[in-house]
Amino acid sequence: MLPSRVTIAPSGNFLGSPRSAEGMRRCLAFLISCLSASALLSTCAAAKARADVPVRPCAPGDPDLTSAERELSQIDSAVAALDIAADPEPLVERIKALADTHCLRMMDTLELAPTSGLSLKTYWAEGGSSHVRSYLDLSKPGEHWLWLAPSVRRALTLETHPTSPIRELLCPFADTPCGIEARGWAVRAEHEFQALAVQSNQDSADAPATSNDPDACKHVALRAARKDRFAKFRDCEERRRVERAALPIGRTRALDHGWLIVQGRRGHYSFCDESRAYDLTTGSAYRMASCSGLTLASDGSVDFRATDVQRKTSLEMGHLPLLALREAAWMLLLMDEVDPKAAEGYGVSLPSSVPVTVDDPFLRGFGLTMHVTSADTVLSWRVVGSPGTLKAGKLRWSPEPLDDAAAEHAASLLRVAEASLVEDCPEVPPPGSLLRGEPAPSASGLDADRESLRVAAQAVTDDWKKLVEGQRACAARFREKRR
């Protein structure tokens, strides 16, 4: 008769005992570790075997190449017919599926995330299609061109963002005359973004030293093994591109009504806690400030009470140049719509000394610039229209250039407009409730405590009342003179 259960245990112990169970667990753990190591070695060996076989483009006549070219042509037609406000995701999935096919294994991974039909159409027309096609053409006879794909940019039109808080500024895409008053501002912004990007690229340790040499990447590639040259050449060309901030696709109007309110601390060792109000219709301007300088204790910390004792009031009213004021408000409203890093697509001739093969991908270095200074403060701003607040946000205020191109341009425009204040009697008094609900002044916890900020807020409120009374008095005198 066969036994009902057969148990095999080391050293003659039965598995039912604690000691034998612990031994079996250790044996199983060791066996699992061996199997895992074996699987890892097999995976590494397989990866090495794959890496030893360079990837090449599909040869002419390959059925996979014919199929890929046909699909690309169909995608071209579908993108051209896509409505600017349509959901681009179905077409994005087709493009990604094409990129994963056999004949496009040499291409970089496509990371597409357009949020509108217009965004995808712009990407595809400005180099996205050429980028894909250049890889399908690599095996054909003649000169080869490598196309670098452009960045996918945001679109901002009345059709793509009908519920945007700034929809009254947005133009319909096909309305060419719309926004003509702000076109010069857009040109200025793009010029500043480009200049800031070039400067940042020059300061970056990752920028190729021979970026102005048209053959720089050819020389970089020739220093590598033949199987690595294509990847080296492509990586070098990618790094030569200057990424810059870019306004969203579309046209916008200038805002010619409402109030721009800016509040917060400006300065560090010498500072002012301020509230400023600017009328976008007339340029009427008001500034209320509680100013002081940091008083340091013997241990180097700030003596908050001594700092508050030194506070002095500063009141101004008059006019700002209207166009300069409106441009600053326009940039503030668009600041968070700006693409922080956008690169243009372009084609470059592939040197004959660079074989069309790729092996292992190369890790790219990266440069990092960071703006850090203890003198920075953060201003709160908002644009108030007749129904209420149109949009609000934060703006970093610093004596040094910011590493955010959109914020730097907005701050520069605001400085230019404010520097042109002409003190006189504004014809438009600000609404008495304009500062109601405004955030309290803010500052670093090292420079002010809650009581200091309360004192500053109260001083600004009192000054506000004085300015309103002053405007009423001077307006009354002006009316009296006209009689």
Side-chain angles (χ1 to χ4, degrees):
M1 177 182 293
L2 293 174
S4 60
R5 184 174 64 182
V6 177
T7 304
I8 301 175
S11 303
N13 293 321
F14 290 96
L15 290 180
S17 68
R19 180 180 177 186
S20 61
E22 176 63 24
M24 180 57 71
R25 280 195 293 270
R26 291 181 179 179
C27 288
L28 289 174
F30 177 73
L31 179 61
I32 292 172
S33 298
C34 291
L35 291 173
S36 299
S38 176
L40 179 61
L41 290 172
S42 299
T43 301
C44 293
K48 184 179 186 302
R50 288 194 298 270
D52 288 340
V53 181
V55 178
R56 292 182 171 85
C58 287
D62 188 320
D64 289 343
L65 178 60
T66 303
S67 175
E69 290 177 330
R70 182 170 57 250
E71 173 66 358
L72 179 57
S73 295
Q74 293 175 355
I75 290 175
D76 284 341
S77 300
V79 172
L82 186 66
D83 185 81
I84 63 172
D87 179 8
E89 190 59 27
L91 267 177
V92 169
E93 291 303 316
R94 282 184 67 180
I95 295 170
K96 289 181 177 180
L98 174 61
D100 287 337
T101 56
H102 169 69
C103 293
L104 289 169
R105 287 187 302 161
M106 291 183 62
M107 191 170 66
D108 289 334
T109 301
L110 286 180
E111 297 179 359
L112 302 180
T115 56
S116 67
L118 179 56
S119 180
L120 177 60
K121 288 167 73 73
T122 303
Y123 162 81
W124 204 244
E126 293 185 350
S129 176
S130 298
H131 173 63
V132 176
R133 191 171 297 280
S134 68
Y135 282 87
L136 296 179
D137 291 343
L138 284 177
S139 65
K140 296 180 180 180
E143 184 180 15
H144 295 142
W145 282 76
L146 176 65
W147 274 86
L148 306 181
S151 300
V152 178
R153 292 172 52 203
R154 302 182 189 183
L156 188 64
T157 69
L158 197 58
E159 298 90 345
T160 60
H161 290 76
T163 62
S164 170
I166 57 170
R167 57 186 172 274
E168 65 180 281
L169 270 65
L170 307 185
C171 293
F173 182 70
D175 187 353
T176 304
C178 180
I180 191 170
E181 70 278 9
R183 289 184 190 176
W185 301 347
V187 171
R188 194 198 320 269
E190 296 286 5
H191 177 78
E192 290 299 317
F193 295 164
Q194 179 67 21
L196 289 169
V198 170
Q199 182 61 49
S200 177
N201 189 61
Q202 291 173 347
D203 295 341
S204 171
D206 189 52
T210 54
S211 58
N212 294 325
D213 179 4
D215 294 324
C217 292
K218 174 183 176 180
H219 300 323
V220 169
L222 287 177
R223 291 196 292 268
R226 284 185 60 83
K227 66 184 181 65
D228 298 332
R229 288 179 183 175
F230 181 86
K232 281 287 190 182
F233 180 82
R234 180 175 61 189
D235 176 69
C236 176
E237 287 291 344
E238 286 281 3
R239 291 190 297 113
R240 289 183 69 185
R241 290 202 286 183
V242 176
E243 291 183 321
R244 64 176 181 86
L247 291 172
I249 304 163
R251 292 179 296 278
T252 50
R253 299 181 177 90
L255 189 65
D256 60 2
H257 61 277
W259 289 82
L260 170 61
I261 312 295
V262 184
Q263 186 179 35
R265 176 168 292 195
R266 305 192 191 199
H268 185 212
Y269 291 107
S270 296
F271 65 89
C272 291
D273 292 313
E274 303 182 0
S275 282
R276 304 192 186 203
Y278 306 126
D279 177 31
L280 296 172
T281 302
T282 65
S284 296
Y286 298 89
R287 173 179 177 264
M288 300 74 67
S290 174
C291 304
S292 184
L294 297 181
T295 300
L296 303 181
S298 58
D299 61 357
S301 64
V302 176
D303 186 331
F304 302 137
R305 303 291 78 78
T307 298
D308 291 338
V309 168
Q310 298 181 64
R311 285 183 179 271
K312 294 181 180 179
T313 296
S314 177
L315 304 178
E316 295 176 329
M317 62 181 178
H319 287 85
L320 296 188
L322 196 53
L323 291 180
L325 172 60
R326 289 178 179 175
E327 184 178 3
W330 172 84
M331 190 64 238
L332 286 169
L333 291 168
L334 289 178
M335 194 165 55
D336 62 352
E337 302 289 352
V338 170
D339 284 306
K341 288 186 177 182
E344 295 181 352
Y346 69 89
V348 58
S349 178
L350 192 63
S352 58
S353 55
V354 175
V356 185
T357 61
V358 293
D359 196 350
D360 291 328
F362 288 89
L363 292 177
R364 295 178 184 170
F366 63 93
L368 179 62
T369 59
M370 183 174 294
H371 169 94
V372 178
T373 170
S374 60
D376 286 4
T377 58
V378 178
L379 304 182
S380 299
W381 65 268
R382 62 174 175 160
V383 175
V384 181
S386 52
T389 298
L390 182 66
K391 194 172 184 179
K394 303 288 186 181
L395 177 65
R396 186 168 293 279
W397 197 256
S398 175
E400 302 293 334
L402 301 174
D403 51 15
D404 181 332
E408 173 62 21
H409 188 50
S412 295
L413 291 173
L414 189 59
R415 282 189 173 95
V416 168
E418 291 177 340
S420 303
L421 174 70
V422 175
E423 294 194 59
D424 57 18
C425 185
E427 64 268 42
V428 179
S433 60
L434 196 58
L435 292 183
R436 189 176 300 161
E438 277 289 282
S442 63
S444 166
L446 299 176
D447 297 341
D449 62 2
R450 182 175 298 181
E451 176 61 19
S452 290
L453 297 179
R454 187 198 66 77
V455 169
Q458 184 60 51
V460 168
T461 300
D462 294 341
D463 294 345
W464 173 256
K465 295 175 182 178
K466 294 176 184 177
L467 269 182
V468 171
E469 293 170 357
Q471 189 277 334
R472 289 174 181 169
C474 70
R477 289 194 299 269
F478 179 76
R479 289 192 299 269
E480 186 66 26
K481 289 180 179 180
R482 294 186 61 185
R483 291 179 182 176

